[in-house]
Amino acid sequence: EVDALLIVDGIQALGSTPVDLSYVDVFGAGTFKWLMSGFGNAIGVFRERAREQLTPIFRSYANRPPSKAFNYAAPNIPGLYVLDATLAYLEELGWDRIYAQIERLTDRTFTVLRDLGIEPVTPQHSRGGIVGFDVADSTRAAAEFQQRKVSVSDKERRILVSPHFYNTEADIDRFGEALADIQATSDVI
């Protein structure tokens, strides 16, 4: 209605769930997370409507004014080789298979949390591969998980669980056991 551009940071979705860019004017996502390709590269999609309205702030020898193009200047060649190799590997596994495994594991995470009386803050039917839940002290809670050799992320009073396709239901069950133990022995959750 106001002709605003829709700009999406897709790092939490790209590689974990199908991404529909039908209504997106600008989409950006790093390749280090779900695409397992290390830091230093990102994917950017700029629709024509966005290219007409936006002007790059940072420029280099490959994109001098008055150009409005979004060209890169010094590509991370080693990083691109890594991205190429990981994309070939992921494509060989099959995106549908990867997405289905992440979906199964995140659904299992929702079940584990609810079975322990914790309501996730992540909407179950509108998400990528991350499930978050609020805790009293996320720094201490993450440390408690770390002591039990379970990897979670600490995000400002929230714990994030991000199972990838290489994880198993046993990994999620181990997370649940650690969570139950933390609930029983600590006041951080």
Side-chain angles (χ1 to χ4, degrees):
E1 293 175 16
V2 297
D3 201 33
L5 293 175
L6 176 58
I7 300 173
V8 175
D9 174 355
I11 196 164
Q12 304 298 358
L14 186 65
S16 73
T17 189
V19 175
D20 178 6
L21 299 180
S22 300
Y23 300 101
V24 176
D25 295 299
V26 178
F27 177 87
T31 61
F32 68 90
K33 196 167 186 77
W34 298 100
L35 297 182
M36 305 184 311
S37 294
F39 293 96
N41 283 323
I43 292 170
V45 176
F46 297 83
R47 298 265 188 239
E48 185 174 344
R49 186 170 100 92
R51 290 192 308 267
E52 290 170 358
Q53 294 182 41
L54 300 174
T55 301
I57 294 174
F58 300 105
R59 296 176 173 276
S60 70
Y61 66 88
N63 192 22
R64 298 201 186 282
S67 167
K68 292 188 75 161
F70 289 88
N71 296 337
Y72 54 83
N76 175 357
I77 301 296
L80 290 174
Y81 278 105
V82 171
L83 177 60
D84 184 56
T86 55
L87 286 175
Y89 171 68
L90 295 170
E91 288 172 7
E92 183 180 318
L93 290 174
W95 291 108
D96 289 342
R97 186 173 161 205
I98 291 168
Y99 297 152
Q101 175 69 354
I102 292 170
E103 176 92 11
R104 273 190 299 279
L105 295 174
T106 51
D107 281 345
R108 178 79 183 127
T109 303
F110 276 94
T111 300
V112 164
L113 288 170
R114 289 184 175 132
D115 286 352
L116 291 171
I118 297 171
E119 186 58 32
V121 295
T122 305
Q124 187 162 358
H125 299 292
S126 177
R127 60 167 163 76
I130 299 173
V131 179
F133 61 99
D134 289 333
V135 296
D137 185 337
S138 58
T139 301
R140 282 184 44 219
E144 293 275 353
F145 278 107
Q146 184 66 35
Q147 288 175 359
R148 291 161 177 83
K149 301 200 182 319
V150 173
S151 178
V152 298
S153 296
D154 165 13
K155 297 293 181 187
E156 301 175 10
R157 299 186 58 131
R158 185 163 290 160
I159 292 295
L160 304 180
V161 183
S162 307
H164 210 320
F165 74 89
Y166 48 76
N167 289 113
T168 65
E169 286 194 19
D171 293 330
I172 303 304
D173 292 343
R174 198 164 128 251
F175 157 76
E177 291 165 7
L179 178 56
D181 188 45
I182 294 167
Q183 278 183 310
T185 61
S186 172
D187 62 350
V188 298
I189 295 180

